[in-house]
Amino acid sequence: MTVHDTPAPVHSLEARYYTDPAIFAQERKGLLARTWQFAGHESQVRGAGDYFSFELAGESLFCIRGRDNVLRTFYNVCQHRAHQLVSGSGTTRVVVCPYHAWTYEMTGELRAGPNIKSVPGFDRSKICLTSVRTESFHGFIFVNLDEDAAPMDDWYPDVRTELGEYVPDIDILEPLEWVEIPEQCNWKVSIENYSECYHCSLNHPTFSTGVIKPDTYDIQPSEQGYVLRHTTECQSLDAMSYDIDLSRPHAGEYRSFYLWPMFSFQIYPGNVLNTYHWRAHDVDQCTVWRGWFTPGGEDSEVIRRLAIQDRATTVEEDIHLVESVYRGLQSRGYKPGPLVLDPACGLNSEHSVQTLQQWMRAAVDAGGAGNKDL
């Protein structure tokens, strides 16, 4: 290869993709409304009539379990005069609008309303709450505002099966603890930081010496769909910051399945399931939730101590990193530099960031979900 054949370095995204309010508004209407987003966990809606409300892409939604045991998600708005129907979580026999008492079945159909029978031509069967695509993924509830969205297994090929292999008891796990982390940065800055370990050895000493072996760390994008797979080995047992049982399959490994754009399943050594999910509030504000899970949500001193360690070290360290990056992106002195793309991949390569930025750019420039069709 001559100097003329050498490919030009790939540069990072321009700062405007992170700092421009108009781009965030476009993402909110497009990307965030047309991708699979985490809503909650099935343990929140075990019985008929159990529901919880949540915010997504500027919309208020609620998920409810019907008498037929089916999980459904609806826009949280009455079809009469647009009052919100529910708040928080609870259990109900029917959904009653607090404004005029229009009443809906748990399947969304209008059941009754004061004096509606006196209205000539009123057809109750034509009125129904607006539904939202909903899937359960090993008990984790995801929704997509795009009625025509491909199923999650198309978006994230083989992840469902692999999760079952690395966390054999995943279908009986329930949340033990949620850790809420506000960050003063654009959501994409936080996602990029999560999706590379180029910074780990320097910035995450506890994670790098007490959980994983950094020199074995690699991140690979899926050939199809929208997944980044993190893989590495655990530290030697005498260096691990918590006890693990290596007799179980895959117990000595760390895995992470990042599902574009706002969720990641993480398996710590010892088959410990934890999750990240992001919510973008504004161009410069997002929240990250760290979830920790045990069978049936039973208390575990090991998991609680691990959650405390994680919040005090890796999480706290990342807050300072991403907020500093976001301040830097607003500087007149910033010019996007070249990404470190090592053909051998590995710890000190940013090929995963390159893939992310391709998806990010395509979502804005083409108004789609990413850079390729499913």
Side-chain angles (χ1 to χ4, degrees):
M1 178 180 288
T2 68
V3 67
H4 300 290
D5 297 323
T6 303
V10 175
H11 285 246
S12 190
L13 284 179
E14 297 92 337
R16 66 186 179 87
Y17 282 90
Y18 308 90
T19 62
D20 187 343
I23 285 180
F24 175 75
Q26 183 179 344
E27 290 173 336
R28 196 175 185 180
K29 292 180 180 179
L31 171 69
L32 302 182
R34 297 178 57 192
T35 48
W36 288 101
Q37 305 276 342
F38 177 67
H41 193 268
E42 284 207 40
S43 58
Q44 298 173 257
V45 280
R46 287 194 183 94
D50 290 351
Y51 68 88
F52 64 87
S53 61
F54 59 101
E55 301 288 325
L56 177 63
E59 295 285 355
S60 179
L61 310 170
F62 72 98
C63 181
I64 188 167
R65 187 179 293 277
R67 295 184 183 87
D68 55 3
N69 203 39
V70 174
L71 284 173
R72 296 178 177 87
T73 303
F74 299 103
Y75 286 88
N76 188 15
V77 58
C78 181
Q79 301 300 290
H80 176 216
R81 284 173 53 199
H83 197 283
Q84 290 192 327
L85 294 165
V86 301
S87 61
S89 60
T91 303
T92 187
R93 292 179 60 250
V94 289
V95 178
V96 182
C97 178
Y99 196 12
H100 299 102
W102 277 36
T103 302
Y104 298 87
E105 304 287 359
M106 287 181 279
T107 53
E109 290 91 352
L110 181 66
R111 177 176 180 173
N115 207 33
I116 61 175
K117 292 182 180 178
S118 67
V119 179
F122 190 100
D123 188 348
R124 179 166 52 90
S125 68
K126 293 183 178 180
I127 298 175
C128 186
L129 299 179
T130 305
S131 62
V132 175
R133 288 283 302 278
T134 305
E135 283 197 31
S136 180
F137 202 86
H138 284 300
F140 293 79
I141 303 169
F142 289 80
V143 300
N144 194 321
L145 302 187
D146 181 1
E147 295 179 359
D148 300 319
M152 289 187 70
D153 285 336
D154 290 353
W155 279 73
Y156 316 117
D158 303 321
V159 172
R160 193 188 302 263
T161 299
E162 293 174 43
L163 275 172
E165 294 171 352
Y166 282 91
V167 190
D169 55 358
I170 189 170
D171 291 323
I172 64 169
L173 296 184
E174 296 182 10
L176 171 66
E177 189 166 326
W178 291 105
V179 181
E180 183 175 344
I181 308 137
E183 294 180 341
Q184 301 301 308
C185 69
N186 183 264
W187 67 275
K188 296 187 293 297
V189 172
S190 187
I191 294 289
E192 286 184 11
N193 178 71
Y194 174 82
S195 300
E196 51 96 339
C197 214
Y198 188 24
H199 72 281
C200 288
S201 297
L202 179 61
N203 293 280
H204 298 315
T206 299
F207 181 66
S208 297
T209 63
V211 180
I212 66 162
K213 287 182 180 177
D215 59 340
T216 66
Y217 206 105
D218 194 23
I219 307 174
Q220 291 293 332
S222 177
E223 291 184 3
Q224 296 182 327
Y226 297 93
V227 186
L228 295 178
R229 286 173 168 81
H230 300 220
T231 63
T232 187
E233 299 173 11
C234 72
Q235 269 292 354
S236 59
L237 291 183
D238 60 342
M240 286 291 294
S241 59
Y242 63 98
D243 294 332
I244 62 173
D245 177 7
L246 290 179
S247 66
R248 301 182 68 185
H250 303 296
E253 303 170 49
Y254 167 95
R255 288 290 184 274
S256 176
F257 300 90
Y258 164 74
L259 312 183
W260 165 258
M262 294 280 201
F263 191 86
S264 187
F265 289 104
Q266 250 186 182
I267 302 99
Y268 269 32
N271 311 99
V272 176
L273 180 68
N274 52 92
T275 59
Y276 278 79
H277 77 273
W278 289 259
R279 285 283 186 268
H281 308 303
D282 210 332
V283 66
D284 57 357
Q285 294 181 21
C286 66
T287 300
V288 186
W289 279 269
R290 291 283 279 119
W292 297 87
F293 301 82
T294 59
E298 294 179 0
D299 203 8
S300 165
E301 182 181 354
V302 171
I303 302 303
R304 287 201 184 275
R305 288 175 59 188
L306 188 52
I308 291 170
Q309 170 186 294
D310 176 74
R311 178 62 182 86
T313 58
T314 307
V315 168
E316 185 66 25
E317 293 150 4
D318 277 335
I319 292 172
H320 294 291
L321 294 174
V322 299
E323 293 187 348
S324 178
V325 168
Y326 194 67
R327 290 192 295 270
L329 285 166
Q330 299 171 81
S331 170
R332 295 179 183 179
Y334 175 66
K335 298 178 181 178
L339 295 174
V340 177
L341 302 178
D342 184 342
C345 299
L347 176 72
N348 291 321
S349 182
E350 296 175 305
H351 54 280
S352 54
V353 175
Q354 179 190 24
T355 296
L356 269 179
Q357 292 189 352
Q358 288 172 345
W359 295 343
M360 292 170 178
R361 182 183 286 109
V364 173
D365 295 352
N371 71 322
K372 57 184 183 298
D373 294 329
L374 292 171

